[in-house]
């Protein structure tokens, strides 16, 4: 465990912080001061997603779960000027904390924020827009609904596109023995994420890989 922490600190100091965009740094610092700052996507994850989006040439993306908008800003900085992010969250209260920084970065025009539960909004996207018209989706929201979001997003993301799911290690609890002492809420989320991970591992419609970055991120390339 100590080696993992030392490795992470080394990577942050060597590769992440020196290359961190100034607006990403500003928003990260604002978010870290918030009571729920731990919910934000960390900077190393943001750089991974940014590089992936650039390699893909992604232009149209979906984000389920926005918080202050750290991953939204990372995406907006990575996609072309005429790109579009449909950013979904049940409340825009926290997003409004980060919006001034997103505007300062000159990328607010790429963000289409939609307030409300993700399920109905995704259903409306399916009904209103061509299926398979998005290049990328990032999910960091209600863990119990990851499986439902996966089915909806598979209809919205094109073949060859990527779906990314955050927190798929849930603090390492998914790998701990079943009788590990946990709060009731953590136990429920651990079990839910275990089930989701098993579902993805068996899903022949995607090529998945689970990376031990931040709290675990699972990338799924749609193949069917």
């Amino acid at each position: 465990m100590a080696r993992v922490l030392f490795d992470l600190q080394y990577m942050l100091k060597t590769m992440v912080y020196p290359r961190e965009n100034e607006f990403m740094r500003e928003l990260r610092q604002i978010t870290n001061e918030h009571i729920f700052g731990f919910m934000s996507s960390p900077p190393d994850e943001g750089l991974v997603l940014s590089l992936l989006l650039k390699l893909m040439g992604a232009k149209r993306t979906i984000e389920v779960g926005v918080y202050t908008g750290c991953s939204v800003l990372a995406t907006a900085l990575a996609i072309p000027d005429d790109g579009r992010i449909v950013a979904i969250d049940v409340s825009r209260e926290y997003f409004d904390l980060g919006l001034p920084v997103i505007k300062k970065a000159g990328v607010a025009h790429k963000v289409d924020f939609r307030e409300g539960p993700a399920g109905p909004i995704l259903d409306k996207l399916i009904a209103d827009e061509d299926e398979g018209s998005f290049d990328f989706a990032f999910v960091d929201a209600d863990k119990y609904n990851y499986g439902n979001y996966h089915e909806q997003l598979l209809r919205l993301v094109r073949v060859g596109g990527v779906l990314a799911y955050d927190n798929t290690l849930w603090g390492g609890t998914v790998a701990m023995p079943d009788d590990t002492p946990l709060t009731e809420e953590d136990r429920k989320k651990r079990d839910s994420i275990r089930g989701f991970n098993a579902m993805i591992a068996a899903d022949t419609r995607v090529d998945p890989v689970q990376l031990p970055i931040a709290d675990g991120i699972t990338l799924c390339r749609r193949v069917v």
Side-chain angles (χ1 to χ4, degrees):
M1 180 63 71
R3 178 183 172 183
V4 171
L5 292 176
F6 283 131
D7 288 351
L8 174 60
Q9 289 305 313
Y10 173 80
M11 290 187 293
L12 289 174
K13 292 178 181 178
T14 306
M15 291 283 182
V16 178
Y17 293 146
R19 302 298 296 269
E20 188 177 25
N21 175 276
E22 61 178 303
F23 300 110
M24 289 296 302
R25 182 180 301 111
E26 181 179 356
L27 182 51
R28 173 170 61 83
Q29 291 169 344
I30 291 171
T31 303
N32 286 344
E33 294 174 359
H34 194 270
I35 188 173
F36 298 121
F38 63 90
M39 292 168 41
S40 178
S41 298
D44 51 335
E45 183 178 68
L47 282 180
V48 169
L49 294 177
S50 175
L51 180 60
L52 175 62
L53 289 162
K54 291 173 183 176
L55 288 171
M56 293 175 59
K59 188 172 180 178
R60 303 185 78 231
T61 76
I62 302 173
E63 182 147 342
V64 180
V66 174
Y67 189 41
T68 60
C70 286
S71 51
V72 167
L73 178 56
T75 300
L77 290 167
I79 63 177
D81 192 59
D82 61 346
R84 176 191 178 204
I85 306 163
V86 176
I88 305 168
D89 205 296
V90 292
S91 170
R92 68 173 298 134
E93 176 185 357
Y94 300 138
F95 176 66
D96 283 342
L97 294 175
L99 185 55
V101 181
I102 295 172
K103 289 180 177 179
K104 191 190 303 186
V107 293
H109 64 284
K110 303 180 189 180
V111 183
D112 175 7
F113 185 89
R114 304 195 185 188
E115 185 175 9
I121 292 174
L122 292 173
D123 281 340
K124 191 172 189 307
L125 282 172
I126 292 170
D128 292 351
E129 305 193 23
D130 292 336
E131 295 188 20
S133 63
F134 290 88
D135 304 301
F136 178 82
F138 179 66
V139 181
D140 184 10
D142 175 15
K143 312 308 173 191
Y144 299 120
N145 269 313
Y146 268 27
N148 294 327
Y149 298 151
H150 183 66
E151 294 302 323
Q152 292 170 299
L153 291 169
L154 276 176
R155 298 180 63 182
L156 290 165
V157 173
R158 63 174 173 82
V159 172
V162 172
L163 298 81
Y165 299 94
D166 204 12
N167 305 116
T168 56
L169 292 178
W170 200 247
T173 60
V174 293
M176 294 178 184
D178 290 345
D179 59 357
T180 299
L182 297 172
T183 66
E184 183 63 23
E185 181 64 16
D186 274 335
R187 186 177 302 281
K188 288 179 180 178
K189 287 185 178 177
R190 185 272 311 271
D191 292 346
S192 179
I193 291 173
R194 277 182 174 176
F196 174 74
N197 289 340
M199 182 194 80
I200 292 297
D203 191 345
T204 58
R205 298 169 297 177
V206 297
D207 280 334
V209 61
Q210 189 173 28
L211 303 175
I213 297 171
D215 193 27
I217 182 169
T218 297
L219 304 177
C220 303
R221 177 177 175 269
R222 182 185 168 194
V223 295
V224 177

